[in-house]
């Protein structure tokens, strides 16, 4: 009887996953959760590019107008467009997109250690998305600087002047 209980316990224990297997399964699950969704990212990039085109057209109108009241109205529309673009950009950092959280607002949750848990394909996808996102950040900064210059009553200078 004593041996049959011990045999049953050993048999049951042999069927249960080992600590190493459980850790591997957790790592696989974590990697699957971090897998970038490039198709969704590209879809959002198209929307962001449309927003930036709209912002560029607004900036061109601001540059052309001579009426201070009209310029203020256009600057307000441009400000709203920038806020929408920033919200869209923050949304691109949601789960399954570029990371588990977003990097804005002090909640930097995507670190270098995350790359160790990714497959080479996932790393490549993440890098592609980061490269595209960085370009979008630069466009946003350019728009913010132009907007700020106009708010201060100074039209932005052209590069090389």
């Amino acid at each position: 009887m004593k041996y049959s209980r011990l045999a049953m316990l050993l048999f049951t224990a042999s069927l249960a996953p080992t600590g190493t297997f459980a850790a591997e399964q957790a790592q696989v699950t974590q990697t699957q959760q971090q897998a970038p969704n490039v198709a969704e990212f590209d879809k959002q990039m198209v929307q962001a590019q449309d927003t930036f085109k709209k912002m560029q057209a607004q900036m061109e109108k601001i540059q052309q107008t001579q009426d201070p009241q009209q310029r203020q109205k256009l600057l307000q529309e441009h400000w709203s467009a920038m806020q929408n673009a920033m919200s869209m950009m923050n949304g691109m950092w949601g789960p399954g997109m570029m990371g588990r959280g977003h990097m804005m607002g002090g909640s930097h949750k995507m670190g270098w250690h995350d790359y160790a848990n990714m497959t080479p394909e996932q790393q490549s996808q993440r890098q592609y998305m980061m490269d595209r996102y960085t370009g979008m950040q630069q466009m946003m900064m350019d728009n913010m600087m132009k907007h700020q210059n106009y708010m201060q009553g100074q039209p932005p200078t052209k590069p090389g002047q």
Side-chain angles (χ1 to χ4, degrees):
M1 181 81 160
K2 185 176 182 182
Y3 290 115
S4 63
R5 284 187 183 173
L6 182 58
M8 187 58 123
L9 180 63
L10 288 173
F11 176 73
T12 306
S14 70
L15 295 178
T18 64
T20 304
F21 180 75
E24 289 172 2
Q25 286 300 100
Q27 184 176 359
V28 168
T29 302
Q30 182 181 13
T31 302
Q32 289 170 345
Q33 290 173 351
Q34 292 178 11
N37 185 340
V38 177
E40 183 63 27
F41 175 82
D42 284 339
K43 180 180 169 186
Q44 289 187 358
M45 276 300 291
V46 168
Q47 292 174 338
Q49 288 169 339
D50 289 343
T51 300
F52 281 108
K53 286 177 185 175
K54 177 183 173 185
M55 289 167 51
Q56 181 61 35
Q58 289 172 328
M59 191 53 65
E60 289 171 7
K61 286 181 184 178
I62 292 168
Q63 291 171 346
Q64 293 171 358
T65 188
Q66 299 298 318
D67 180 14
Q69 290 178 335
Q70 179 65 16
R71 180 173 287 136
Q72 281 304 117
K73 179 182 176 225
L74 292 169
L75 281 167
Q76 185 58 44
E77 290 173 7
H78 184 257
W79 182 254
S80 295
M82 282 196 310
Q83 288 178 320
N84 289 338
M86 284 187 267
S87 293
M88 186 183 313
M89 289 171 69
N90 276 338
M92 295 174 88
W93 288 99
M97 291 301 291
M98 296 182 69
R100 290 176 289 173
H102 59 79
M103 296 174 76
M104 312 286 276
S107 64
H108 177 71
K109 293 184 179 183
M110 185 182 82
W112 291 110
H113 63 280
D114 289 337
Y115 282 87
N117 295 328
M118 295 178 140
T119 66
E121 180 183 357
Q122 289 171 334
Q123 290 174 0
S124 177
Q125 291 170 338
R126 177 76 58 92
Q127 187 62 50
Y128 161 79
M129 291 163 52
M130 288 294 294
D131 290 346
R132 303 263 333 256
Y133 189 83
T134 302
M136 193 169 46
Q137 285 178 314
Q138 183 61 49
M139 285 189 276
M140 180 59 76
M141 290 300 296
D142 291 345
N143 271 279
M144 292 173 90
M145 294 301 294
K146 289 176 184 177
H147 187 94
Q148 182 179 0
N149 285 339
Y150 271 108
M151 289 298 291
Q152 295 173 352
Q154 308 165 7
T157 59
K158 296 195 188 304
Q161 289 184 333

